[in-house]
Amino acid sequence: MTDVILPGAAVGVLGSGQLGRMFAIAARRMGYRVHTYSPDTDTPTGQIADVEVVAEYDDLDRVREFARQVRVVTFEFENVPAATAAACAEVTLVRPGGAVLHTTQHRLREKTFLRESGFPVTPFAHVKSLEQLEAALARLGTPAVLKTAGWGYDGKGQVKIQSPGEAGAAWSKLETSEAVLEAWVPFEREVSVVAARGVDGSFAHFGLLANDHVNHILDITVGPAPVSTIIRDRAIEIARGVLEQLDVVGVLCVEFFLKPDGELVINELAPRPHNSGHLTFDACVTSQFEQQLRAICGLPLGSTEFLRPAAMANLLGDAWEHGEPDWAAACGFPDVKLHLYGKLSARPGRKMGHLTALAPTAEEARQLVLAARQALTKSHPIR
Ligand code: AMP
């Protein structure tokens, strides 16, 4: 290994949200310095980082200046403009590389890559007009989901179409000139694989995680997922293939729909630590954030072994609706860990923190984390 970046070095993160924050916690724990870059100030990542650069992503001189101060740059959200990653790459290492970002930040490119590489993916069509949408609906059937081709996350930029008659309304609602129409997948459950690949091609994964969404936003993750080892192993092999094909150095999450007949189809990729992997922070020997650090620094990957089964519940801004949640009540559960992201204002749907419960079984962990979340707002239940 020629380019191992050792503790004491500075690492850079493009983006400043909670994923960067937990990465920064892992990195600082291991003695690295962390620089973060985003247009915002007093951010979840900036509160932990050594240096918080506040500048626009298209200010490429500032981007280069930021990149010159660090040995390697990574990102914590994939909507960083390609030009920003390219400017960093002129002066330092960028991991995962700009090509991974390019593919995964655009739904159409990502799905095309998956289909052309032979990975199982939801049937989809490229749509650039209402006429094309109507033709695609005739081919893929209804229900279907129309999604913007580019930027989008947590269900933003998507409309469900129940019948062909809704095409016109859906097309105007999306307000885009380029979209992807996806066939509706009648899934039994949603699962994900969070995996890492090192500079030397080594591969590690956190097994299969089971995810429940509410209003298109992740609500609960349980790990290990209660599914057969055959399905688990198949999902892991698909994830391994995706990381290899994309030549990822870092962490990447593959989100799947699991159909009642056991078939797995990829919903989407995230080339970074993922919300479904947050429970690894407390439940595994090495968290997804430390794994990201190890991978981008050229260190050996750490053990992904689960110390205990775990469940994670997201805390959205909705929990603040009637005032500050009762943190002491949640801390009254000794096997539940509280994570708050330091965001300055709580809005409905905004990810403010999460709880992780550890228990002898995944199902007990799920019950425990739900009880702890309920206790936060006992006087005014949120769900
Ligand atoms: P996305 O932002 O594309 O991951 O979508 C968010 C959530 O919407 C997914 O996790 C699913 O729960 C649901 N969803 C999106 N696309 C589909 C689909 N083609 N079939 C069924 N459910 C979907």
Side-chain angles (χ1 to χ4, degrees):
M1 286 196 272
T2 50
D3 60 349
V4 181
I5 299 164
L6 292 169
V11 295
V13 189
L14 294 171
S16 59
Q18 63 268 19
L19 298 174
R21 179 185 184 88
M22 290 181 269
F23 170 81
I25 291 171
R28 292 200 64 161
R29 190 171 69 175
M30 282 177 64
Y32 287 86
R33 294 188 171 273
V34 179
H35 297 212
T36 175
Y37 187 106
S38 85
D40 304 314
T41 184
D42 195 9
T43 58
T45 311
Q47 291 162 9
I48 307 291
D50 297 80
V51 177
E52 180 178 51
V53 178
V54 182
E56 297 298 327
Y57 290 117
D58 59 6
D59 185 346
L60 299 184
D61 289 334
R62 294 292 298 278
V63 168
R64 283 187 205 95
E65 192 185 311
F66 159 80
R68 265 193 287 274
Q69 310 297 320
V70 299
R71 291 283 308 280
V72 58
V73 168
T74 190
F75 41 86
E76 63 107 50
F77 81 127
E78 59 271 33
N79 290 339
V80 169
T84 309
C88 290
E90 288 169 21
V91 290
T92 194
L93 294 167
V94 177
R95 290 174 172 162
V100 178
L101 200 62
H102 181 74
T103 304
T104 55
Q105 71 184 189
H106 191 267
R107 223 186 276 280
L108 181 64
R109 274 200 293 270
E110 178 177 295
K111 285 187 180 293
T112 306
F113 153 76
L114 290 169
R115 188 164 66 186
E116 285 177 357
S117 309
F119 295 110
V121 66
T122 332
F124 69 94
H126 182 195
V127 166
K128 293 204 309 202
S129 66
L130 177 57
E131 293 66 42
Q132 288 185 355
L133 173 58
E134 284 165 346
L137 280 169
R139 189 158 62 79
L140 296 177
T142 50
V145 198
L146 186 66
K147 303 182 178 182
T148 49
W151 321 72
Y153 65 99
D154 286 346
K156 292 188 173 59
Q158 51 180 276
V159 188
K160 187 170 177 185
I161 301 177
Q162 298 285 6
S163 67
E166 293 174 13
W171 183 248
S172 348
K173 191 170 171 204
L174 213 56
E175 289 179 340
T176 185
S177 54
E178 193 176 33
V180 176
L181 183 75
E182 280 181 31
W184 185 255
V185 181
F187 57 82
E188 187 178 272
R189 58 169 79 226
E190 293 183 74
V191 292
S192 56
V193 175
V194 176
R197 191 161 168 271
V199 173
D200 59 355
S202 52
F203 176 77
H205 61 82
F206 293 92
L208 196 61
L209 305 163
N211 304 317
D212 294 340
H213 291 77
V214 173
N215 296 331
H216 300 281
I217 302 176
L218 183 65
D219 185 43
I220 304 285
T221 297
V222 168
V227 301
S228 74
T229 50
I230 294 173
I231 291 171
R232 171 189 178 274
D233 292 349
R234 206 175 331 123
I236 290 164
E237 279 321 299
I238 293 170
R240 183 199 298 270
V242 170
L243 272 87
E244 281 175 4
Q245 189 77 25
L246 283 171
D247 197 17
V248 170
V249 174
V251 167
L252 181 138
C253 175
V254 185
E255 292 181 62
F256 296 93
F257 296 125
L258 173 59
K259 292 168 56 173
D261 62 0
E263 193 192 341
L264 286 160
V265 281
I266 298 178
N267 173 26
E268 61 180 6
L269 310 178
R272 49 164 172 79
H274 188 257
N275 197 166
S276 63
H278 286 2
L279 49 70
T280 63
F281 211 121
D282 301 302
C284 296
V285 174
T286 308
S287 72
Q288 61 170 350
F289 305 102
E290 181 179 329
Q291 204 72 296
Q292 179 186 23
L293 176 78
R294 285 171 174 254
I296 65 168
C297 288
L299 289 168
L301 300 179
S303 162
T304 53
E305 186 188 342
F306 270 71
L307 302 169
R308 295 175 85 190
M312 185 269 340
N314 268 337
L315 300 177
L316 301 184
D318 310 57
W320 275 249
E321 195 187 340
H322 301 287
E324 193 74 13
D326 186 351
W327 304 124
C331 294
F333 292 77
D335 290 317
V336 173
K337 310 298 287 182
L338 171 65
H339 296 252
L340 290 172
Y341 306 147
K343 294 188 182 175
L344 305 180
S345 64
R347 288 190 299 274
R350 189 174 198 207
K351 291 176 178 172
M352 302 296 293
H354 68 269
L355 297 170
T356 303
L358 305 180
T361 65
E363 185 48 34
E364 285 168 272
R366 170 196 281 276
Q367 296 304 330
L368 191 58
V369 86
L370 289 173
R373 188 168 65 176
Q374 203 70 45
L376 281 175
T377 53
K378 204 162 33 218
S379 51
H380 36 76
I382 48 166
R383 298 192 55 232

